[in-house]
């Protein structure tokens, strides 16, 4: 059952948990996520990033994901991750996404608010939710770096942005980074507390791969309602494919056998994050 992000995060707030968001980019990643969700009976956010559009068009991704989840009982959000182009937001709205992330975080605050407001007006007319972002984070593929203590979301900007833009969820920068962490991950939990007290909208943590489980769960306890995970799932798939190829040197080896090995390994990581979010550990 497809629902929007606002409804999903209302559920998360009631239960004091976070809902995991996993990036997908092909049929194997969709199946890895969907099989885990069914096994764990976990609500889920399936995120297709704007940056994957050249790999698989937004419309094809929507049709593929919808074919799995449409008639299911589990609540699912079909989310467009990190989208900087208004045109691609429109494509996602037409294709049936129930949530979009408009990422104007690189722009000055006033411009970010104005541009996001326009997207919120459009999306809300279609009952689609909007996630916004404030603060500096490195690129989604892990390139670029976050210097600890710099580029963090400020409480005043978060308050103003949340009140004026009308977003349904706010992604914050408190030490989190996309990709493999270069040092030991550390989150500014006091800042998280202050932002949570200052804003009414649910908070989102990008760059959740690699954050030690107790720290991630503490962030959830303190009000993170959506965690974004990609790197751990993707690197696990790569390693499984490497292992499979290393042990299958037969030239008659079939491609789909390798992708199935990757998918199975990826699904296990997805399950782990579902447990982390449900605060079972
Ligand atoms: P990771 O790179 O830590 O998996 O984060 C993914 C993410 O935040 C996608 O938006």
């Amino acid at each position: 059952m497809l629902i929007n992000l606002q409804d999903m995060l209302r559920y998360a707030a009631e239960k004091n948990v976070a809902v995991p968001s996993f990036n997908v980019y092909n049929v194997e990643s969709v199946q890895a996520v969907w099989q885990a969700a069914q096994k764990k009976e976990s609500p889920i956010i399936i995120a297709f990033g704007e940056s994957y559009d050249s790999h698989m068009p937004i419309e094809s991704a929507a049709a593929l994901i919808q074919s799995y989840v449409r008639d299911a009982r589990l609540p699912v959000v079909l989310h467009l991750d990190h989208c900087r182009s208004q045109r691609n937001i429109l494509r996602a709205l037409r294709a049936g996404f129930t949530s979009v992330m408009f990422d104007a975080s690189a722009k000055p605050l006033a411009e970010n608010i104005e541009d996001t407001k326009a997207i919120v007006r459009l999306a809300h007319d279609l009952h689609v939710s909007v996630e916004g972002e404030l603060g500096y984070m490195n690129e989604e593929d892990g390139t670029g770096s976050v210097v600890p203590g710099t580029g963090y979301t400020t409480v005043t900007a978060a308050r103003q942005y949340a009140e004026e833009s009308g977003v349904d969820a706010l992604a914050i920068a408190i030490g989190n980074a996309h990709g493999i962490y270069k040092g030991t991950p550390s989150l500014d939990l006091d800042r998280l507390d202050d932002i949570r007290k200052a804003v009414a909208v649910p908070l989102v943590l990008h760059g959740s791969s690699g954050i030690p489980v107790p720290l991630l769960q503490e962030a959830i306890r303190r009000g993170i309602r959506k965690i974004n995970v990609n790197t751990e799932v993707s690197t696990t798939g790569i390693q499984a494919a490497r292992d499979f190829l290393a042990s299958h040197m037969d030239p008659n080896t079939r491609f789909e056998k390798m992708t199935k090995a990757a998918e199975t390994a990826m699904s296990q990581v997805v399950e782990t994050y579902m447990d982390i979010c449900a605060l079972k550990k």
Side-chain angles (χ1 to χ4, degrees), residues 128-151:
V128 171
S129 308
V130 179
E131 175 182 330
E133 177 167 319
L134 265 191
Y136 171 77
M137 279 195 72
N138 61 334
E139 298 301 315
E140 298 103 86
D141 63 3
T143 54
S145 51
V146 168
V147 180
T150 63

Side-chain angles (χ1 to χ4, degrees), residues 14-35:
E14 277 163 16
K15 302 261 179 221
N16 197 28
V17 296
V19 177
S21 174
F22 298 100
N23 288 71
V24 297
Y25 25 78
N26 59 8
V27 72
E28 285 78 19
S29 53
V30 172
Q31 290 193 161
V33 168
W34 186 233
Q35 277 158 15

Side-chain angles (χ1 to χ4, degrees), residues 23 81-82 140 177-179 206-209 228-232:
N23 288 71
D81 197 24
H82 287 286
E140 298 103 86
H178 295 117
H206 286 243
S208 295
S209 293
N228 284 25
V229 178
N230 182 27
T231 299
E232 290 258 354

Side-chain angles (χ1 to χ4, degrees), residues 198-262:
V199 307
V201 295
L203 301 177
V204 178
L205 192 72
H206 286 243
S208 295
S209 293
I211 296 178
V213 173
L215 181 58
L216 193 52
Q217 291 192 321
E218 186 55 27
I220 295 169
R221 279 192 197 93
R222 292 180 188 222
I224 291 291
R225 295 290 162 241
K226 170 177 180 267
I227 64 159
N228 284 25
V229 178
N230 182 27
T231 299
E232 290 258 354
V233 181
S234 173
T235 53
T236 298
I238 296 271
Q239 190 55 50
R242 285 198 173 116
D243 293 346
F244 180 90
L245 291 176
S247 58
H248 292 77
M249 300 304 276
D250 176 356
N252 200 29
T253 298
R254 299 294 153 158
F255 187 76
E256 76 278 10
K257 298 260 170 31
M258 178 200 69
T259 56
K260 182 54 82 180

